[in-house]
Amino acid sequence: MEIGIDSFASAMYGSNELDSETAMEQLLDRIVAADEAGLDVFGIGEHHKKEFLDSVPSVILAAAAARTKRIRLTSAVTVLSTSDPVRVFQNFSTLDIISKGRAEIVAGRGSAIEAYPLFGFDLNDYDALFEEKLKLLLQIRDKEFVTWSGKFRPALKNQPVYPRPVQEKLPVWIGVGGTPQSFVRAGKLGLPLMVAIIGGETERFRPLVDLYRKSGADAGFSPDQLKVGLHSPGYVGVDDRSAVEDYYPGYAELWTKAGKECGWPPVTRKQFDVQIAPKGVLVVGGPETVAEKLIRHSEALGGVDRFTFQMDNAGLSHRQLLHAIELIGTKVIPLIKHAQDVSGNYGNPIE
């Protein structure tokens, strides 16, 4: 199981707002720290809101590429429905060159909708936009010269798209929430799947992951081509108690604020405790608890190839985030590798 972090380049730590320069500098320092700690991947999301600095993730990732050596660098996600697939491919091909073959794309429709009016797209075309643009992105990835026509973009007639990436085939994952059609589409295309689960119990997504695997198998793809990634909120502390003490206040503040906008009740400690319980989605605790939970999540979904923490959305300081990265690299990853070596399938408890 690959382990990584996804960030929305937040400029807010609790009630203290950072200036943009400081927030970006600290984010890049954390990506370097993740590289040095042995994490496998770092992703940058895409939002177009005041509190986030990730409106152009490929630029942030390119800056990180110049300072890192081995960690893979990906979007998390690219809102493909409101983007030009030609430019997306060019941006990430350039990133692949700068990083010497470490770039990836996680493409999605976007859980937030601010990009649609900003770039002049109709929300009524939410799914049609993504389906058409994904097909074009994959065609550009697979062919240097492209002939294509569609509804939402001018046609291309034997048009070459440059630059080409270092990797023979630039990895494209599909980012999904809970829509069955999205799981089926990823399976039929044989593309790796990144499932974002931010609430409830992880195991409830097993039928959808099974649907993805069945759709892929029916389309002729082998199991090793049908990778499954999991993205969830989480944080690693020295032990369970300190992790909860660090994480809960900011988590409660964030989701209570978001709830006001959506008509949800305030977050309670009882609700939080359910979420950090063994079957709950929040991966919060000391290294042993976190490793055990990731193994349990993998078993619940029939195997997980990649897990990414969303950590910088709970008012945690730069120092706390750096320490969590260190613990992931020095404690959590070795524990998971040990369990894999012992069981071969993440099946045995950690000794």
Side-chain angles (χ1 to χ4, degrees):
M1 184 193 303
E2 295 179 336
I3 304 294
I5 293 173
D6 290 332
S7 172
F8 297 161
S10 174
M12 294 289 291
Y13 292 148
S15 60
N16 299 315
E17 183 173 357
L18 301 175
D19 62 82
S20 298
E21 296 93 331
T22 301
M24 187 64 72
E25 180 181 9
Q26 291 182 352
L27 172 60
L28 293 172
D29 286 344
R30 292 197 295 274
I31 302 176
V32 171
D35 184 47
E36 294 174 347
L39 276 66
D40 298 291
V41 61
F42 205 106
I44 300 294
E46 180 187 336
H47 297 82
H48 302 273
K49 298 180 178 180
K50 181 180 180 180
E51 62 266 32
F52 302 121
L53 300 173
D54 60 348
S55 62
V56 191
S58 60
V59 175
I60 300 174
L61 293 169
R67 296 180 55 186
T68 55
K69 296 179 180 179
R70 53 164 300 280
I71 196 167
R72 297 194 66 78
L73 301 166
T74 183
S75 59
V77 301
T78 293
V79 184
L80 189 59
S81 301
T82 61
S83 302
D84 181 355
V86 174
R87 292 300 286 168
V88 169
F89 181 82
Q90 289 176 324
N91 288 342
F92 281 86
S93 287
T94 303
L95 172 62
D96 204 49
I97 293 168
I98 295 169
S99 66
K100 298 180 172 62
R102 294 184 281 132
E104 299 185 2
I105 300 170
V106 179
R109 296 178 297 181
S111 58
I113 63 172
E114 72 272 2
Y116 288 82
L118 181 63
F119 295 112
F121 292 99
D122 190 339
L123 267 175
N124 292 322
D125 298 323
Y126 185 73
D127 192 65
L129 279 162
F130 182 72
E131 185 170 2
E132 178 177 299
K133 292 188 176 189
L134 178 61
K135 289 179 179 178
L136 176 55
L137 176 65
L138 295 176
Q139 186 173 340
I140 295 168
R141 181 189 70 167
D142 295 339
K143 298 180 180 179
E144 184 175 340
F145 288 80
V146 179
T147 297
W148 176 90
S149 63
K151 178 180 178 181
F152 300 106
R153 189 197 186 284
L156 298 170
K157 186 174 182 180
N158 199 36
Q159 184 72 43
V161 179
Y162 301 117
R164 307 307 295 182
V166 172
Q167 297 176 86
E168 183 177 352
K169 183 171 284 191
L170 190 65
V172 176
W173 296 62
I174 300 297
V176 299
T179 307
Q181 295 90 332
S182 298
F183 287 79
V184 171
R185 174 163 46 209
K188 286 182 176 180
L189 293 171
L191 296 174
L193 184 78
M194 179 57 70
V195 189
I197 307 178
I198 61 173
E201 295 184 351
T202 299
E203 63 184 27
R204 69 189 172 92
F205 279 76
R206 177 63 183 266
L208 292 172
V209 173
D210 287 345
L211 182 62
Y212 160 71
R213 290 183 171 124
K214 183 180 185 303
S215 300
D218 290 346
F221 295 100
S222 61
D224 64 300
Q225 293 175 287
L226 301 171
K227 295 182 179 180
V228 175
L230 174 61
H231 161 102
S232 292
Y235 173 69
V236 185
V238 174
D239 53 36
D240 292 352
R241 180 178 177 179
S242 64
V244 169
E245 288 177 351
D246 287 348
Y247 191 83
Y248 174 70
Y251 173 86
E253 179 184 348
L254 171 75
W255 287 104
T256 296
K257 180 181 177 181
K260 289 181 180 179
E261 300 173 359
C262 302
W264 304 335
V267 172
T268 67
R269 180 57 190 266
K270 183 178 180 180
Q271 292 170 332
F272 177 78
D273 288 342
V274 171
Q275 293 293 292
I276 64 171
K279 291 186 177 182
V281 70
L282 296 181
V283 186
V284 177
E288 293 79 11
T289 296
V290 166
E292 289 173 355
K293 193 161 191 177
L294 291 182
I295 292 167
R296 191 176 295 111
H297 281 348
S298 182
E299 293 171 345
L301 296 180
V304 169
D305 299 282
R306 174 180 290 181
F307 178 82
T308 55
F309 290 86
Q310 170 58 41
M311 288 199 301
D312 64 358
N313 63 345
L316 297 163
S317 70
H318 179 54
R319 178 188 59 80
Q320 289 171 317
L321 293 169
L322 285 175
H323 191 213
I325 289 169
E326 179 186 358
L327 290 171
I328 293 170
T330 60
K331 301 290 186 181
V332 175
I333 291 176
L335 285 168
I336 292 175
K337 287 183 177 178
H338 171 70
Q340 181 182 19
D341 291 341
V342 170
S343 68
N345 63 356
Y346 311 113
N348 288 0
I350 296 172
E351 298 176 353

